[in-house]
Each structure stands twice: as C-alpha cells, then as structure tokens.
Amino acid sequence: MSSAAAYHLERQVAISAVTRACSLTDKVFRNLVTADTVTKKDKSPVTVGDYSAQAVVNTVIASHFSADAIVGEEDSKDLRNPEAKNLRDQIVKLANEALASPAQECPAVADAASKSSEAASQAWGTQDLSEEALLAAIDRGNAEGGRSGRCWALDPIDGTKGFLRGGQYAVCLAFMVDGEVQVGVIGCPNLPHDASSAKPKEGEFGAGAKRNDLGTLFVAVKGQGAFQRPIQAESDSETAITMNKISSLSSASFCESVEAGHSSHGTNARIAELLGITAEPVRMDSQAKYVSIARGDGDVYLRLPVGDGSYQEKIWDHAAGSLIVEEAGGRVSDIRGRSLDFGVGRTLKDNKGVVAAHRDVHDQVIRAVGQALEEEGRGNL
C-alpha cells in the first residue's frame, strides 16, 4: 500500500463523522444556548450536544469498522434514568437528523458500498435508529485503549465552556494503531477559515449566524501532511497547512487555555520571559489551540501541570491535535521532552503536561519550561 493510500477509508470515515457531529453541535448551540443559559450556568445544552455527537460519531465508525475499539468521553448510564426521558428524546432526534442521507453526504459510505455487497454501512441513513441503538452507540466509547490493535479516541465537544460562551470548541477524533496515532480529524465550528480573520467574540450569541466564513475542518494522516478546509466543503478544497518558521522565539506567540485551572498561566508567563516572548498569549478553549498553531495562528502551545501535577491528561484531549501539529512541522511532547504515549490506556498517565512548538525550537521551549518549574520548586514534576 502506498503512503498516499494508507488509511484512506479511515480518513474519509473520520471526516464524515466529525462533519456530521459539527453540524449537530452547531445546531444545538444556535437553538439552545442563550445569554440566559450561560448566566444561570445551565450546562444542559452541552450535555445534549456531547451525547448526541458521540452517538453519531460512534455509529459512523461502527458501520465501517465494527471490530474497532473506541475510547470516548461519555457513557449512557445517566441517560438511562427515567427522569432523563426529555434528554433522551432530544438526543435521538438530533442524532438521527445528523445521520440522514449517508450516500449523498458521506463519500466513505459510497466508497464502501461500491466495494461490498453488505448493506450494513447504509443502515443508519435509510431509517431512524432507535433510542436503544443510539444509547448502545454511545457506550461503544467505553474501551480502555492500550498498546495493541485498532482504536479510536473521541471528544465529542472539547472545550465545553468555550461552547457555552460562543467561543472556540472542537469535535476531535483520532485513529490509532498499536498506540500510535495514524489519523487525526478536528472540526472547529467557530474558527474562521482564514487565520487572519477575527474570531467570534464570546458572549455575542447569534453572531456566528451572520458570518459565512466560520467552521474549519483539520485533517492529518501520519506521513501525509496536515490540511484544512471549510467543514461543509468537498475534499478538493483542502489546503496544506504548516507551522510558522520561527527565526527567533522573541517574535513568537503562545496559545494557552482560557481556564487557569487547565494550565498554569503564571508559569507560562515566566517561560515567555525566559524566551524573550513579549506578545500577549492567545487564549482559547479546546484542541483549537493545536490546529491554530499548526496553521500559523500562534506558535507555541503550553499545557503545564497545575499544582502537584497529579492530574492525568485524557488521550481524547490530545491525540488528534498532536498529530496535526506534527504533520504541520511541529513536535509535541510532555514537559520533559518525552513523546506523548497514547498506548497506556484512557489517560496519558506516563506524561506530565504538553508542549507543542515548531520542531526547530521545541528543545529551547523545553529548556525554558524546565527552568521555570525549577524556580517554582516544582522541578520534580
């Protein structure tokens, strides 16, 4: 198999699944999220979106690769409670709407159908799936991951607070073989197609409906480069993306989490000082940070351990984004420069923190990270 053909169907299936999930989550945001829900800290819209998107993605994957394991963020336990009937009804409706018309909307389905007499890959588009079928699809995400075999990692809505604020969030899907990420697809419904365009301001509900330049899909296959395209566009509109070639880190900029609880902002500021970086950090939620630096909208992504460093990063929060950055010319590691190990289960328990930067300057960033942590008395992390 040529490198260009490697994992072609997995790539197509992932694109179809993420595209459908992005349309679904965008619909949830437009219909259910208001300034009032945010003020009241009502997380029900993101709950509907999370479950529905996972049901859709897992259904698409299973129709093509029924034996593949899926490591997903959600399970259906709470949904099966009698008092969750209204929530279940919303999920069933949204998921079936997103799964409609596979032959027309999913190149992978048409490709599979032309090569096989099996009708299974068409089943979810020809009739509505039952509530139980969709709950079972959600529970396909209960795999433990590991070092051997084929496995997918899914975060149906990465950046829940960004989603609720009308900011950045992402639908993230990665395909792994023997613990190595081979395919990464990330859909960012609120990210402009052009990196130089202004991002929607958080809290401006309905602003996205007035723009036609939002919604960007990022795709990478190991050894084949990284690409972006509008979420709803055809594959021939893909364009290659690469990280900025940095001559001096003093001209670089950071991408970091909005929430201080996700990464140590104070440590990040000290690292910037050590590297001579004076630009204000770009703060956004989700793996939108990975894809932003991959296409040059920022240069360094830091997610440093908070406190005693006991938190274990989840594989679905980093698998797709790390591959996209690496295929765009970057390197992704933990704070000690060790590669992220996606083969030890559902978490990155053998790694602490995440550092992503262009491969030419990654070592410099790691040295600055180490010095900053030593100064804080956290050099043991």
Side-chain angles (χ1 to χ4, degrees):
M1 179 183 296
S2 68
S3 60
Y7 303 117
H8 172 72
L9 184 56
E10 287 83 354
R11 184 187 200 271
Q12 290 293 88
V13 169
I15 288 172
S16 176
V18 170
T19 298
R20 291 167 186 276
C22 286
S23 295
L24 183 157
T25 57
D26 191 51
K27 182 182 295 184
V28 169
F29 176 78
R30 292 171 189 261
N31 293 340
L32 299 181
V33 179
T34 65
D36 191 47
T37 62
V38 174
T39 300
K40 294 179 179 178
K41 297 184 178 180
D42 178 3
K43 294 184 178 180
S44 60
V46 79
T47 301
V48 171
D50 258 327
Y51 283 122
S52 303
Q54 182 153 319
V56 167
V57 172
N58 288 0
T59 296
V60 175
I61 292 172
S63 70
H64 292 86
F65 308 110
S66 59
D68 285 7
I70 304 173
V71 177
E73 188 173 21
E74 309 298 340
D75 65 59
S76 72
K77 180 180 178 181
D78 291 340
L79 286 179
R80 295 180 182 274
N81 294 330
E83 58 269 25
K85 183 182 185 306
N86 181 56
L87 181 57
R88 290 197 304 272
D89 290 346
Q90 291 182 75
I91 290 166
V92 169
K93 182 177 184 294
L94 284 163
N96 276 312
E97 287 175 353
L99 289 167
S101 306
Q104 291 84 350
E105 299 176 19
C106 179
V109 170
D111 185 47
S114 68
K115 297 175 182 177
S116 171
S117 60
E118 296 180 7
S121 63
Q122 292 285 350
W124 45 264
T126 56
Q127 59 187 7
D128 283 355
L129 296 182
S130 68
E131 176 184 293
E132 182 54 40
L134 290 168
L135 292 178
I138 291 171
D139 286 338
R140 287 187 64 89
N142 288 339
E144 290 300 317
R147 189 70 64 200
S148 62
R150 293 166 55 96
C151 182
W152 300 76
L154 165 67
D155 194 338
I157 295 183
D158 182 25
T160 56
K161 291 184 179 179
F163 174 82
L164 290 171
R165 291 188 296 243
Q168 294 307 315
Y169 73 96
V171 178
C172 309
L173 182 61
F175 170 68
M176 299 173 288
V177 178
D178 298 338
E180 296 283 338
V181 184
Q182 301 294 333
V183 180
V185 176
I186 294 179
C188 299
N190 287 337
L191 200 64
H193 305 154
D194 188 332
S196 64
S197 297
K199 300 177 184 65
K201 293 182 179 179
E202 295 188 355
E204 289 188 3
F205 301 101
K210 302 174 184 177
R211 296 177 58 172
N212 60 7
D213 68 329
L214 300 180
T216 310
L217 189 79
F218 298 84
V219 186
V221 177
K222 192 170 185 178
Q224 298 179 29
F227 302 85
Q228 75 165 52
R229 76 190 205 202
I231 286 176
Q232 299 297 339
E234 299 297 327
S235 59
D236 58 8
S237 65
E238 287 185 0
T239 57
I241 58 173
T242 57
M243 295 190 71
N244 291 327
K245 188 76 172 176
I246 304 172
S247 57
S248 170
L249 273 167
S250 62
S251 62
S253 62
F254 279 169
C255 274
E256 62 184 22
S257 299
V258 174
E259 303 298 323
H262 292 171
S263 185
S264 177
H265 287 170
T267 311
N268 290 1
R270 175 55 178 153
I271 293 165
E273 183 180 12
L274 290 170
L275 294 170
I277 296 174
T278 57
E280 286 294 313
V282 177
R283 289 178 178 163
M284 63 178 75
D285 294 284
S286 82
Q287 289 185 65
K289 294 183 287 295
Y290 275 114
V291 298
S292 290
I293 69 168
R295 72 175 184 179
D297 186 13
D299 304 291
V300 179
Y301 166 36
L302 297 177
R303 187 176 174 99
L304 303 184
V306 175
D308 63 2
S310 59
Y311 176 75
Q312 294 181 4
E313 299 285 348
K314 309 301 189 293
I315 66 171
W316 54 75
D317 284 329
H318 300 282
S322 64
L323 179 65
I324 291 169
V325 165
E326 288 169 353
E327 288 298 311
R331 184 180 164 208
V332 183
S333 75
D334 66 10
I335 58 174
R336 297 303 178 198
R338 298 171 296 199
S339 296
L340 301 184
D341 188 348
F342 294 100
V344 293
R346 293 174 66 88
T347 71
L348 294 169
K349 63 182 179 181
D350 289 347
N351 298 109
K352 294 291 184 187
V354 177
V355 177
H358 194 285
R359 62 172 67 101
D360 290 347
V361 298
H362 187 272
D363 287 345
Q364 290 176 254
V365 178
I366 289 294
R367 287 194 292 271
V369 168
Q371 181 175 337
L373 290 174
E374 286 286 351
E375 292 174 358
E376 294 180 352
R378 297 198 296 154
N380 61 315
L381 294 180

